[in-house]
Amino acid sequence: MIKHYFIVALRNLLKYKTQTIISIIGLAVGLFSFSLCFYCSRFVESLNTDFTHCERLAEIHLCQDGHRKASVQANLPEELRKLALPEVEAIACITYPAERDYNVEVGDDKVLPYTFTVLETDSLYDRLFTPRVLSGSWKVAARTPNSIILSESTARKVFGTAPAIGKRMTLNRRLYTSPESTPKEGGIAYTVQAVVSDLPVNTSMNFMMTIDLLTLNDSEGLLHCNWRDTMTGAYAYALLRPDKSCADLQQTLKERLFTFSNREKEISEVVVAPIGQFFKRESMAHYLSLITGIIGVLILLSGLLNFFHFEIGTFFNRTRECSVRRVTGGGVEQLFALLLTQLVLVLIVALLLMLWAVELLSPYLHLSLFQLNLVIEPQLLLQHLAEYFGFLLLLCALLCWMTAVRLHRIKVQTGLRGGERKRGKHRMRNVMLGTQFFICWIFVSFTVALFLQAETTTNALFGTLTQREKAAIFSIPLDYTFWKHEQKLQMVNRIRTHAGVKEVLLSDVNYMQGVSGTGILTEKDNRDSYLEVNVMAVPANFFTFMHLPVVKGKPMANQNEMLVDEVFARKQKEAVMGRMLYNFSEGYTVCGVAETFIADVYNESPGFVFLPTHSEDYVGHCYVKAVAGQEHEVKAWIEKVQRQCLPESVTPRVSTLLNDIHEEQAVEYKMKSIILFFSIVSVIITLLGVYSAITLDTERRQKEVAIRKVNGAGVWRIIVLFARLYGWLLIVTAALSFPLVGVVLRLWKQGYTVFFQTGIGFYAGIFAAVTLVTAFTIFLRIVRTARMNPAESIKNE
């Protein structure tokens, strides 16, 4: 019997080969896309679950005047430990993740510079978060000053197979929390005391950030600095006893009237909550989970509608066969098994396609947004796919049973005559197609919006340069703490020697990541005369390099003159030309007004003032303008010089100004690629659904088409007969989706100072494009039916 079910199912699938392929591809793509999206959502929802004592961990916050503070002072855990709280086993303190530069002893006579992402903590971190120690001893580290706990991947990257325990790591610059006795160039030594398994990245303390090492008993850190009781920048966590809760601890603190005061006599209430509760609610992780979840559900819904519409449609087209089986003694169970076998065959093929996609795309399955990085693990993704596939099997079984019951209730005489299904099925089919079109409009609209905003942003940032000029300007970081000023200039001078280098611009910062300072004074050393403004220290060739014209006055001619931009000049009540402004104690005369300078589209600019740099000023970045046509040669030369000058532990970095813009404007440039992918998937699934629906329609109405042709109906009359429904579906779903898109775009616009135009042309263009591809899909299928010989159609019927 199973063999019979298999043969019948295979024959029916081969009868509609095109539609079968369409349903398989649509289902595979939809479920795979859903799995990717929900991987991100489940990643966020599993926050902190990698910790052994996750259910017992609590985070402690300070609340001042009803407002919760993001972090606490480093001495708060110490004050809480003094209370000997009965609900608590241990309290630990952890600082914000931060980058530190170390000179690492990798061999007997070999020292290399590295930059690590560091968490400073106390010895109780082990008690709360239970990292797995692979080598060394946590107890030794807890008793040793300036101890380093390396992650496994960092130890492997730095030391390879050599043992890391006992290796020395020396700070190569002073930290802002260092004692005054620490030299500017650092020099404080640390010792590796243990290596632990890589710390999880789905935690609220370092969400999607890889931690390279932990420091304990850190003489240079926040936990031991002189002003740790006034400066925030730490997190406090408590390990509760098994029979206690956050509410119990909160009640005890309330009964003891405990409040926290710093040197400035600010009194704050202590608030206790489960670990990650506020982070999930208030951080970007919440929006990441929500957005990816919505995208995944929409894509899966579109794919399932397409799949079930075709499969259920083919089931009901077999009413005559089902009636014959009933006459010969077949029951609901046999019909259910026959239908389920057909669906299982389709699901197995779709599953094989998804497994192939995971294998093929696994090297590229990662998400990078701002400074957050998520690498999708193929094995975990396959586990998720297996879970979703199991749920889909159950859903298919339920639908097959409902369909079998519905077919079994059709009268035998009606079924044998091949009677038409009720109009209700057409309404359900139209709702499915309408839902697919609605989802399609949403994705296509936001894809177009992201591309338009990306173009608007690119043109606005450093708008005095064209996109081609931005792509020909190379951006080279020089913020290496292990280099002296003279060494940086030596590398820059070597880069200058290439014939393709047109001009070089030195800067203290990457212009896409910040400014030299903020604020200027109108009176010397008088902080009450402070004016908010972006301050940029620029060399003499800055204005020619950036094509930034001076619209009033003249360029800077000496070290005592400065320029302002038009935005700052307009905001001043008095004329700025000739005024003396002060960068704290140093005074500068305004000699000119430059064109508006835009380096940020998220925040309203307070204006810019441009101060002259001195030859001995800090150099942290370099921009190199290449001669037209020699960009590739110049980039290769820069990379060669970097490899020759930089230590082997430092990866050469070179990009373009255009790439810097794309990297910093991650909302547009990263999201547009992601949404474009899902938009293409949505359009393809929708078009496949339309093609499947029109195919079933033409198959079912061949006799009607033949009679109309016999009575003189032409090809275009038949095309209109079938296409009219889809035209109405396009119009109605667009009318429902475009207002929703408009509301979201208005909310999105509030986060920008420049935004693309969302007029009638925006929506008309989207409607025309989707309508065109839909019409082409419908036309291909209907024309083939309209050109069939009426005699053949009637004979087949």
Side-chain angles (χ1 to χ4, degrees):
M1 185 62 71
I2 295 177
K3 181 179 178 181
H4 170 71
Y5 292 156
F6 178 80
I7 293 174
V8 173
L10 191 60
R11 285 176 178 173
N12 277 282
L13 291 175
L14 294 176
K15 180 180 179 181
Y16 300 100
K17 291 186 289 292
T18 303
Q19 289 74 26
T20 299
I21 294 173
I22 287 173
S23 62
I24 290 173
I25 294 176
L27 177 63
V29 172
L31 188 56
F32 179 71
S33 301
F34 171 81
S35 301
L36 290 178
C37 291
F38 257 63
Y39 186 99
C40 299
S41 297
R42 292 176 68 168
F43 179 85
V44 174
E45 295 307 314
S46 65
L47 198 72
N48 299 314
T49 55
D50 286 341
F51 296 134
T52 305
H53 304 307
C54 172
E55 300 298 327
R56 296 166 53 198
L57 290 175
E59 54 187 37
I60 302 172
H61 297 271
L62 295 177
C63 190
Q64 183 72 36
D65 299 327
H67 299 286
R68 185 182 62 85
K69 296 183 178 181
S71 59
V72 302
Q73 285 86 349
N75 65 326
L76 174 62
E78 296 178 7
E79 297 297 322
L80 291 172
R81 291 186 194 117
K82 294 176 182 178
L83 299 177
L85 298 165
E87 294 84 3
V88 175
E89 287 188 6
I91 299 176
C93 188
I94 303 171
T95 64
Y96 287 162
E99 286 192 346
R100 289 192 189 180
D101 298 310
Y102 288 93
N103 291 324
V104 182
E105 175 189 279
V106 296
D108 293 337
D109 299 314
K110 190 175 184 179
V111 176
L112 293 175
Y114 283 93
T115 299
F116 298 119
T117 302
V118 179
L119 276 183
E120 182 193 354
T121 184
D122 54 36
S123 58
L124 291 175
Y125 179 95
D126 174 60
R127 181 84 175 273
L128 273 71
F129 303 105
T130 62
R132 187 164 64 94
V133 179
L134 303 177
S135 61
S137 170
W138 187 278
K139 291 182 178 179
V140 173
R143 295 194 298 264
T144 306
N146 290 343
S147 296
I148 292 287
I149 310 295
L150 276 183
S151 70
E152 181 182 9
S153 58
T154 302
R156 190 181 301 114
K157 179 183 71 174
V158 177
F159 301 106
T161 57
I165 306 303
K167 297 292 185 180
R168 291 171 63 85
M169 301 170 59
T170 306
L171 274 178
N172 58 24
R173 66 173 174 179
R174 187 179 188 273
L175 305 179
Y176 76 97
T177 54
S178 294
E180 295 182 0
S181 58
T182 301
K184 184 178 180 181
E185 61 276 9
I188 306 302
Y190 293 71
T191 306
V192 178
Q193 299 291 355
V195 176
V196 298
S197 296
D198 289 348
L199 303 178
V201 296
N202 62 334
T203 69
S204 53
M205 64 190 73
N206 56 286
F207 182 67
M208 290 175 67
M209 293 179 63
T210 301
I211 300 300
D212 296 312
L213 57 89
L214 304 172
T215 63
L216 272 66
N217 307 318
D218 193 342
S219 64
E220 308 300 300
L222 175 64
L223 302 191
H224 294 85
C225 73
N226 293 331
W227 52 89
R228 63 197 180 98
D229 56 344
T230 60
M231 182 173 61
T232 59
Y235 303 112
Y237 297 98
L239 177 62
L240 303 176
R241 298 188 183 279
D243 57 337
K244 300 298 180 179
S245 67
C246 294
D248 296 332
L249 178 56
Q250 184 75 60
Q251 182 63 29
T252 299
L253 291 173
K254 184 177 181 181
E255 290 174 354
R256 297 191 183 186
L257 303 177
F258 178 78
T259 56
F260 181 77
S261 304
N262 60 21
R263 289 181 182 177
E264 298 176 358
K265 304 302 180 183
E266 291 184 3
I267 300 176
S268 302
E269 176 189 359
V270 178
V271 177
V272 184
I275 186 171
Q277 174 179 293
F278 293 113
F279 182 83
K280 281 185 178 181
R281 184 189 307 167
E282 301 171 1
S283 71
M284 194 180 73
H286 168 72
Y287 299 102
L288 176 65
S289 175
L290 181 63
I291 292 172
T292 55
I294 291 174
I295 292 174
V297 169
L298 291 178
I299 289 293
L300 180 63
L301 179 61
S302 185
L304 289 180
L305 288 175
N306 190 22
F307 170 69
F308 287 126
H309 165 248
F310 166 70
E311 295 297 338
I312 295 174
T314 59
F315 291 163
F316 279 101
N317 280 348
R318 296 163 60 186
T319 54
R320 182 177 297 172
E321 174 193 343
C322 296
S323 298
V324 172
R325 290 181 178 275
R326 289 176 60 190
V327 171
T328 57
V332 176
E333 294 80 7
Q334 290 75 18
L335 184 57
F336 164 74
L338 186 65
L339 300 181
L340 183 61
T341 302
Q342 180 174 328
L343 281 187
V344 169
L345 286 177
V346 175
L347 288 176
I348 290 174
V349 177
L351 178 62
L352 293 176
L353 278 178
M354 288 185 287
L355 295 178
W356 173 77
V358 172
E359 182 69 24
L360 182 66
L361 300 175
S362 57
Y364 312 101
L365 295 179
H366 57 83
L367 172 66
S368 176
L369 192 64
F370 297 106
Q371 296 181 344
L372 307 179
N373 293 282
L374 172 63
V375 177
I376 296 178
E377 300 177 13
Q379 291 183 346
L380 185 56
L381 180 61
L382 290 175
Q383 179 183 329
H384 291 177
L385 276 173
E387 295 173 2
Y388 303 142
F389 186 77
F391 286 124
L392 190 55
L393 276 176
L394 294 177
L395 180 59
C396 287
L398 177 62
L399 290 176
C400 285
W401 178 258
M402 294 172 61
T403 305
V405 171
R406 177 69 182 86
L407 288 172
H408 200 265
R409 289 179 179 176
I410 297 176
K411 293 182 179 180
V412 174
Q413 295 81 357
T414 303
L416 291 174
R417 290 196 303 267
E420 292 289 335
R421 288 171 59 197
K422 294 182 180 180
R423 293 292 297 174
K425 79 175 182 69
H426 294 296
R427 287 195 295 270
M428 182 58 67
R429 190 276 308 273
N430 295 341
V431 169
M432 289 182 176
L433 285 176
T435 304
Q436 286 182 313
F437 273 120
F438 180 85
I439 295 171
C440 180
W441 289 124
I442 297 294
F443 278 110
V444 172
S445 297
F446 285 123
T447 300
V448 174
L450 283 166
F451 272 86
L452 289 176
Q453 182 56 28
E455 187 71 15
T456 302
T457 299
T458 303
N459 292 331
L461 289 168
F462 309 105
T464 52
L465 297 168
T466 65
Q467 288 201 36
R468 185 171 182 178
E469 289 172 330
K470 294 171 189 175
I473 296 176
F474 293 101
S475 175
I476 309 166
L478 297 175
D479 53 343
Y480 301 117
T481 57
F482 54 85
W483 263 2
K484 296 181 179 179
H485 182 75
E486 296 76 14
Q487 292 174 297
K488 298 177 183 180
L489 296 183
Q490 287 175 5
M491 189 177 81
V492 172
N493 290 332
R494 287 195 60 187
I495 293 174
R496 290 179 192 266
T497 60
H498 193 278
V501 174
K502 184 178 180 180
E503 192 176 2
V504 174
L505 176 68
L506 297 178
S507 170
D508 55 343
V509 294
N510 182 331
Y511 291 145
M512 280 304 304
Q513 296 179 348
V515 292
S516 305
T518 55
I520 203 82
L521 305 178
T522 59
E523 299 177 12
K524 186 177 180 179
D525 294 328
N526 182 7
R527 296 198 177 256
D528 292 334
S529 65
Y530 177 88
L531 295 177
E532 183 182 1
V533 67
N534 292 320
V535 179
M536 292 188 68
V538 299
N541 67 328
F542 171 83
F543 299 96
T544 57
F545 190 96
M546 289 292 179
H547 294 176
L548 188 66
V550 178
V551 297
K552 187 177 181 181
K554 63 182 183 65
M556 293 182 292
N558 55 61
Q559 295 291 322
N560 298 319
E561 293 182 336
M562 67 184 297
L563 283 169
V564 302
D565 77 340
E566 292 176 309
V567 174
F568 178 76
R570 283 195 301 268
K571 289 184 175 182
Q572 305 312 304
K573 298 179 181 179
E574 305 175 14
V576 296
M577 290 295 298
R579 286 183 64 185
M580 179 72 75
L581 299 177
Y582 297 88
N583 185 22
F584 297 103
S585 60
E586 297 184 45
Y588 301 88
T589 302
V590 178
C591 63
V593 178
E595 190 175 294
T596 299
F597 187 71
I598 301 177
D600 182 9
V601 296
Y602 294 140
N603 304 292
E604 191 70 35
S605 173
F608 281 85
V609 298
F610 304 96
L611 308 179
T613 58
H614 302 281
S615 58
E616 69 279 3
D617 282 349
Y618 174 79
V619 175
H621 212 81
C622 173
Y623 294 96
V624 175
K625 185 178 292 186
V627 175
Q630 298 191 42
E631 291 86 358
H632 294 293
E633 292 82 356
V634 171
K635 182 179 180 181
W637 171 249
I638 294 172
E639 291 174 342
K640 180 181 178 180
V641 172
Q642 285 182 316
R643 285 193 297 270
Q644 293 173 349
C645 296
L646 293 172
E648 62 186 74
S649 59
V650 180
T651 303
R653 293 177 292 165
V654 56
S655 64
T656 65
L657 180 58
L658 187 62
N659 289 338
D660 286 352
I661 293 174
H662 293 175
E663 187 66 27
E664 291 301 317
Q665 306 300 127
V667 172
E668 303 97 305
Y669 293 99
K670 296 294 178 65
M671 290 300 296
K672 77 174 183 180
S673 300
I674 298 172
I675 300 299
L676 175 62
F677 169 76
F678 290 115
S679 179
I680 292 173
V681 170
S682 175
V683 170
I684 291 175
I685 291 176
T686 302
L687 293 179
L688 291 177
V690 170
Y691 188 86
S692 176
I694 200 67
T695 299
L696 291 174
D697 277 351
T698 53
E699 290 281 347
R700 188 164 47 242
R701 300 173 65 181
Q702 285 186 20
K703 185 176 180 180
E704 177 187 348
V705 172
I707 294 173
R708 287 179 180 273
K709 290 186 68 175
V710 170
N711 290 330
V715 173
W716 283 106
R717 176 66 70 78
I718 295 173
I719 290 175
V720 171
L721 173 69
F722 284 96
R724 184 168 49 195
L725 167 66
Y726 300 96
W728 279 110
L729 283 176
L730 284 167
I731 294 172
V732 171
T733 54
L736 293 174
S737 62
F738 284 165
L740 175 61
V741 172
V743 171
V744 176
L745 290 182
R746 283 194 292 273
L747 294 174
W748 184 21
K749 183 178 182 179
Q750 296 176 7
Y752 288 83
T753 57
V754 292
F755 205 73
F756 70 95
Q757 295 297 321
T758 57
I760 189 65
F762 170 75
Y763 298 102
I766 295 173
F767 184 83
V770 175
T771 301
L772 184 62
V773 295
T774 304
F776 180 73
T777 304
I778 295 172
F779 180 80
L780 285 179
R781 189 64 186 88
I782 297 179
V783 165
R784 189 165 63 178
T785 300
R787 290 178 176 174
M788 290 181 63
N789 188 331
E792 291 293 331
S793 300
I794 294 174
K795 183 174 68 175
N796 292 335
E797 185 70 19

